Amino acid sequence: MGNFWRYYRQRWHCIINEGEILIKNHFLSLDPAMRGWINSSRSYIPPVQIGEVMRAGTVGEIIKSKNKNFELGTFVSGWGGVQEFTISEGLGFYKVDVKKSPPERYIGTLGMPGMTAYFGILDEGKIKKDDTVPVSYTQLTLPTKRI
């Protein structure tokens, strides 16, 4: 992976505008789909361009807020990308209760992969009692990375 990833450490000003939040990402999801997201072929989502932040699910803590819907210290999950900090207006981020479940679960079992499996089995698969459901671990999200 060394040829595909580049780590940049930049100095930047932590100034956020009215309505924005600054999130310190604690966990990010390394998904198999990332490989497809860098291809230019037709897909369900536009490819990540060279120089753009790689998209990834994240869980982080709000360390600055000028958004009335998000309080300082709240943990949120969303598409924060492969980066240490995310500035957002909060769209696509939802609050998570880290007292009920460890934060990393909100990008795994309680996040997109878990919800995809849950609704896929119930709504699309329409499983019923005594059905056999094969599970492939090769299709699951890779272990999360604490950043």
Side-chain angles (χ1 to χ4, degrees):
M1 284 256 202
N3 295 333
F4 298 105
W5 294 89
R6 185 168 285 141
Y7 180 75
Y8 291 100
R9 188 172 265 310
Q10 298 175 325
R11 294 188 66 130
W12 54 282
H13 300 286
C14 266
I15 298 170
I16 60 173
N17 297 316
E18 198 59 41
E20 292 182 331
I21 54 177
L22 175 62
I23 305 161
K24 164 71 169 110
N25 294 318
H26 291 282
F27 294 93
L28 64 89
S29 180
L30 298 175
D31 298 302
M34 288 173 149
R35 181 62 184 98
W37 294 340
I38 61 174
N39 290 337
S40 60
S41 57
R42 189 169 182 231
S43 179
Y44 66 97
I45 193 167
V48 176
Q49 298 299 311
I50 294 173
E52 287 183 340
V53 173
M54 182 62 176
R55 71 177 62 99
T58 58
V59 174
E61 182 179 4
I62 297 174
I63 60 172
K64 277 191 181 182
S65 180
K66 289 188 179 180
N67 183 317
K68 64 181 179 182
N69 298 314
F70 293 93
E71 293 180 20
L72 197 65
T74 302
F75 274 78
V76 293
S77 182
W79 290 99
V82 180
Q83 56 188 350
E84 192 173 356
F85 297 96
T86 302
I87 294 176
S88 172
E89 292 178 347
L91 299 174
F93 283 87
Y94 59 93
K95 299 171 190 174
V96 296
D97 189 343
V98 295
K99 291 181 179 140
K100 288 187 177 179
S101 188
E104 62 270 24
R105 287 205 185 138
Y106 290 99
I107 51 175
T109 311
L110 298 175
M112 181 266 299
M115 294 298 110
T116 300
Y118 179 82
F119 289 108
I121 285 176
L122 293 182
D123 293 351
E124 299 300 319
K126 300 187 185 336
I127 64 166
K128 46 197 175 309
K129 187 177 180 188
D130 297 324
D131 280 354
T132 300
V133 179
V135 176
S136 169
Y137 287 101
T138 61
Q139 299 302 310
L140 298 176
T141 300
L142 297 173
T144 56
K145 170 84 173 127
R146 185 172 188 93
I147 55 176

